[in-house]
């Protein structure tokens, strides 16, 4: 039969006393017979000592022989049948004292022996757990920051020949937690052992072991409780600038349900914090000693999640909170490129404009100029806002710095200016240049005199020496100019041009600049009549 606990009614006082104590039978690893055997054996601890309980179906007699291992010294103990198949000995009094005995049970069915294998019996005093107490209970579970349990108790002595006593038992104690801490009982048998306990289904049973394997262990129930957390955000800035780093701060707290004053929110130091969004990067950090944390993000119009990290203490529930910037001010970019001024004094340039949310939908874009590029900027012209455009502006100042200046008209955008660009051409002029007569007879020679001059950046006028001037003519009702004569200016910039007037029409003197450093100039257009 398989090993089982027997509850027997006996007529003898010893058996009645032995079975009155609700103590489970203790058997060695080899103390039960195979499942096919009609015999099972168990040793039962009672108040008076250890008794042998045997189940032998069909047996007519049962005895147990104990031989001190390594010797021939032995003693035979008879068993009494208490009920059909249930046999019980008296308290085992082995005359050779403590030691290791070879136990052999003989069960006979008439003259036929039943299967009774030999087993080892360590006959010795054993420790017994008494007054076991734990710092964890249903009303006081382990919580965040209080994640270790302390178990105390004392060890007394169990003598198999005389039963339980209050004598202290000094031996090692093991607490079967994940870390398996051990300690040794004091001389008075008292012990205290502490172990960290992982969060688990509450309550969870752990076991104390002491001394020999056959000593009864003691079960310890440990209660654990997970606590809530919350993320408290600090007031952020009223507005942030798009694309620039913005600092977001807050505090991680947990609800301490064990506080004597009642449930209280307290900071969580050293906790992992992270962010998540559709943008990157998504930074992470660790809370300070006061539970504070901070993230630096580029200010963009996006939904962020602030959450506790995956390595958060298991005794704390995770938390998350959504975050968006209340107000984002857009940055504007303004660019001025491909800037040049041609010989006719026309400014050519490409203007580009954009913002961190596209093209600004409000405000004004101006072309501005300055004499020195650093101060006293004046508006030249307001430009349309179209992202990128190539423009030409006639009559521009050829000695100037130019820039674009965006002026917002709402708080949604920042002002912006482009890098200044310098252009430099000298203005020129033709003084004189009129014919000596405005009415002449056909084929009469007409003379034009004057000077060609250029203006420096300082504003003074100087002669254009040794340069060519043209005399151009356009006949009455004609549309095309033709060159009639050329001349070279003197060292003072003076010129004289003559031509035979064969038809009525308009005359003018022209100077086409020979380099990119000057502007073209044209003298007065004068109509000469033929009489």
């Amino acid at each position: 039969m398989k090993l089982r606990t027997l509850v027997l009614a006996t007529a003898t006082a010893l058996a009645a006393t032995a079975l009155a104590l609700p103590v489970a039978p203790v058997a060695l690893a080899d103390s039960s017979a195979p499942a096919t055997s009609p015999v099972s054996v168990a040793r039962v601890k009672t108040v008076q000592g250890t008794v042998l309980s045997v189940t032998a179906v069909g047996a007519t007699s049962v005895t147990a022989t104990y031989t001190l291992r390594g010797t021939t010294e032995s003693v035979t103990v008879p068993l009494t049948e208490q009920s059909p198949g249930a046999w019980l000995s008296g308290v085992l009094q082995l005359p050779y004292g403590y030691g290791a005995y070879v136990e052999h049970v003989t069960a006979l069915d008439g003259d036929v022996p039943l299967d009774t294998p030999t087993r080892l019996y360590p006959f010795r005093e054993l420790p017994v757990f008494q007054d076991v107490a734990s710092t964890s209970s249903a009303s006081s579970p382990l919580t965040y920051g209080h994640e270790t349990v302390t178990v105390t108790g004392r060890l007394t002595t169990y003598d198999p020949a005389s039963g339980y006593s209050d004598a202290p038992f000094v031996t090692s104690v093991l607490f079967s937690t994940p870390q398996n801490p051990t300690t040794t009982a004091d001389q008075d048998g008292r012990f205290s052992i502490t172990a960290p306990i992982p969060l688990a289904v509450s309550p969870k049973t752990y076991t104390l072991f002491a001394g020999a394997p056959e000593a009864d262990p003691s079960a310890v129930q440990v209660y654990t409780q997970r606590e809530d957390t919350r993320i408290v955000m600090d007031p952020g800035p009223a507005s942030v600038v798009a694309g620039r780093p913005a600092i977001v701060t807050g505090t991680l707290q947990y609800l301490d349900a064990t506080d004597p004053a009642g449930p209280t929110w307290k900071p969580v130091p050293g906790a992992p914090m992270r962010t998540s969004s559709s943008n990157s990067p998504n930074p992470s950090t660790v809370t300070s000693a006061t539970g504070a944390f901070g993230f630096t993000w580029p200010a963009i119009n996006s939904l962020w999640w602030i959450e506790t990290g995956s390595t958060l203490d298991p005794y704390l529930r995770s938390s998350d909170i959504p975050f968006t910037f209340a107000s984002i001010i857009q940055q504007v970019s303004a660019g001025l490129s491909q800037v040049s001024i041609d010989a006719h004094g026309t400014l050519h340039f490409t203007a580009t404009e954009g913002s961190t949310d596209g093209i600004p939908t409000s405000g004004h874009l101006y072309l501005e100029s300055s004499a020195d590029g650093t101060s006293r900027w004046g508006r030249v012209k307001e430009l349309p806002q179209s992202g990128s455009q190539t423009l030409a502006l006639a009559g521009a100042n050829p000695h100037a710095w130019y820039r674009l200046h965006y002026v917002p008209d709402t708080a949604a955008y920042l002002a912006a200016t482009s890098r200044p660009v310098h252009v430099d051409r000298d203005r020129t002029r033709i003084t004189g240049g009129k014919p000596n007569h405005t009415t002449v007879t056909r084929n009469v020679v007409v003379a034009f005199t004057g000077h060609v001059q250029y203006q420096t950046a300082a504003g003074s006028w100087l002669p254009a020496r040794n340069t060519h001037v043209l005399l151009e003519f356009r006949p009455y009702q004609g549309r095309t100019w033709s060159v009639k004569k050329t001349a070279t200016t003197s060292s003072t910039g003076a010129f004289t041009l003559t031509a035979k007037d064969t038809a009525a029409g308009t005359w003018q003197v022209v100077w086409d600049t020979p380099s990119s450093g000057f502007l073209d100039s044209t003298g007065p257009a004068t109509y000469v009549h033929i009489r």
Side-chain angles (χ1 to χ4, degrees), residues 6-305:
L6 301 178
V7 181
L8 306 177
T10 177
T12 65
L14 175 60
T17 304
L19 298 176
L21 185 67
V23 179
V26 174
L28 298 180
D30 62 345
S31 64
S32 63
T36 57
S37 172
V39 178
S40 66
V41 179
R43 289 184 292 274
V44 181
K45 295 188 182 84
T46 72
V47 174
Q48 286 80 17
T50 299
V51 298
L52 185 67
S53 173
V54 176
T55 298
V57 178
T60 55
S61 68
V62 178
T63 58
T65 301
Y66 292 90
T67 302
L68 187 62
R69 189 171 62 174
T71 73
T72 60
E73 305 292 344
S74 64
V75 63
T76 299
V77 177
L79 280 77
T80 303
E81 188 173 25
Q82 305 297 314
S83 62
W87 300 78
L88 193 69
S89 74
V91 173
L92 296 177
Q93 301 285 344
L94 303 185
Y96 307 109
Y98 302 130
Y101 288 83
V102 177
E103 179 185 72
H104 183 248
V105 176
T106 301
L108 297 176
D109 182 358
D111 293 331
V112 179
L114 303 179
D115 184 16
T116 55
T118 298
R119 54 194 55 79
L120 186 66
Y121 174 31
F123 186 75
R124 58 185 175 184
E125 292 181 325
L126 297 174
V128 178
F129 285 102
Q130 302 283 359
D131 305 328
V132 175
S134 165
T135 55
S136 168
S137 66
S139 60
S140 181
L142 301 185
T143 58
Y144 169 71
H146 311 280
E147 301 170 22
T148 59
V149 64
T150 297
V151 179
T152 58
R154 63 189 180 97
L155 295 176
T156 58
T157 303
Y158 176 80
D159 190 326
S162 60
Y164 295 95
S165 75
D166 204 40
F169 197 106
V170 179
T171 188
S172 62
V173 177
L174 181 143
F175 192 18
S176 65
T177 65
Q179 294 191 354
N180 288 328
T182 60
T183 189
T184 301
D186 297 336
Q187 291 301 312
D188 60 358
R190 298 187 182 278
F191 67 89
S192 175
I193 192 165
T194 299
I197 301 296
L199 185 75
V201 176
S202 183
K204 183 171 182 177
T205 300
Y206 297 91
T207 306
L208 291 170
F209 296 96
E214 66 269 24
D216 291 338
S218 178
V220 178
Q221 281 194 324
V222 178
Y223 294 80
T224 58
Q225 177 177 296
R226 178 174 284 178
E227 295 185 298
D228 292 330
T229 63
R230 70 178 183 182
I231 298 171
V232 181
M233 300 303 298
D234 297 332
S239 59
V240 293
V241 177
R244 293 182 185 175
I247 299 176
V248 177
T249 59
T251 303
L252 178 64
Q253 299 175 339
Y254 77 99
L255 186 61
D256 186 357
T258 64
D259 193 293
T264 305
W265 288 103
K266 296 180 179 180
V268 182
M273 300 295 294
R274 63 188 181 189
T275 61
S276 64
S277 73
S278 58
N279 302 281
S280 61
N282 289 309
S284 59
T285 188
V286 176
T287 59
S288 70
T290 60
F293 63 86
F295 295 107
T296 300
W297 288 326
I300 57 177
N301 188 17
S302 176
L303 174 64
W304 303 80
W305 283 94

Side-chain angles (χ1 to χ4, degrees), residues 136-465:
S136 168
S137 66
S139 60
S140 181
L142 301 185
T143 58
Y144 169 71
H146 311 280
E147 301 170 22
T148 59
V149 64
T150 297
V151 179
T152 58
R154 63 189 180 97
L155 295 176
T156 58
T157 303
Y158 176 80
D159 190 326
S162 60
Y164 295 95
S165 75
D166 204 40
F169 197 106
V170 179
T171 188
S172 62
V173 177
L174 181 143
F175 192 18
S176 65
T177 65
Q179 294 191 354
N180 288 328
T182 60
T183 189
T184 301
D186 297 336
Q187 291 301 312
D188 60 358
R190 298 187 182 278
F191 67 89
S192 175
I193 192 165
T194 299
I197 301 296
L199 185 75
V201 176
S202 183
K204 183 171 182 177
T205 300
Y206 297 91
T207 306
L208 291 170
F209 296 96
E214 66 269 24
D216 291 338
S218 178
V220 178
Q221 281 194 324
V222 178
Y223 294 80
T224 58
Q225 177 177 296
R226 178 174 284 178
E227 295 185 298
D228 292 330
T229 63
R230 70 178 183 182
I231 298 171
V232 181
M233 300 303 298
D234 297 332
S239 59
V240 293
V241 177
R244 293 182 185 175
I247 299 176
V248 177
T249 59
T251 303
L252 178 64
Q253 299 175 339
Y254 77 99
L255 186 61
D256 186 357
T258 64
D259 193 293
T264 305
W265 288 103
K266 296 180 179 180
V268 182
M273 300 295 294
R274 63 188 181 189
T275 61
S276 64
S277 73
S278 58
N279 302 281
S280 61
N282 289 309
S284 59
T285 188
V286 176
T287 59
S288 70
T290 60
F293 63 86
F295 295 107
T296 300
W297 288 326
I300 57 177
N301 188 17
S302 176
L303 174 64
W304 303 80
W305 283 94
I306 300 174
E307 56 195 26
T308 51
S310 59
T311 57
L312 182 69
D313 192 300
Y315 275 83
L316 296 175
R317 290 187 177 89
S318 59
S319 292
D320 57 32
I321 189 172
F323 178 84
T324 55
F325 290 106
S327 175
I328 299 179
I329 301 174
Q330 305 299 328
Q331 292 193 78
V332 176
S333 61
L336 188 62
S337 62
Q338 298 177 332
V339 181
S340 66
I341 189 163
D342 64 19
H344 305 294
T346 300
L347 182 71
H348 300 271
F349 60 93
T350 296
T352 57
E353 180 191 23
S355 72
T356 46
D357 66 346
I359 299 175
T361 56
S362 62
H364 304 274
L365 183 65
Y366 296 101
L367 177 67
E368 296 181 338
S369 67
S370 165
D372 58 11
T374 58
S375 62
R376 304 182 70 175
W377 288 93
R379 291 176 182 173
V380 177
K381 183 178 180 62
E382 183 172 1
L383 306 178
Q385 294 178 251
S386 60
S388 179
Q389 53 192 324
T390 299
L391 301 172
L393 179 65
N397 185 350
H399 292 292
W401 291 81
Y402 289 92
R403 73 177 186 184
L404 294 182
H405 184 195
Y406 169 76
V407 180
D409 55 13
T410 72
Y413 295 95
L414 292 178
T417 57
S418 71
R419 178 181 59 87
V421 179
H422 187 230
V423 296
D424 188 19
R425 273 184 183 257
D426 289 336
R427 288 189 177 95
T428 62
R429 70 182 179 184
I430 294 176
T431 62
K434 291 185 178 182
N436 56 348
H437 299 287
T438 58
T439 301
V440 297
T441 304
R442 190 180 305 274
N443 293 324
V444 170
V445 174
V446 181
F448 297 81
T449 58
H451 291 80
V452 179
Q453 298 175 328
Y454 68 92
Q455 186 179 35
T456 66
S460 59
W461 290 93
L462 299 176
R465 300 183 180 92

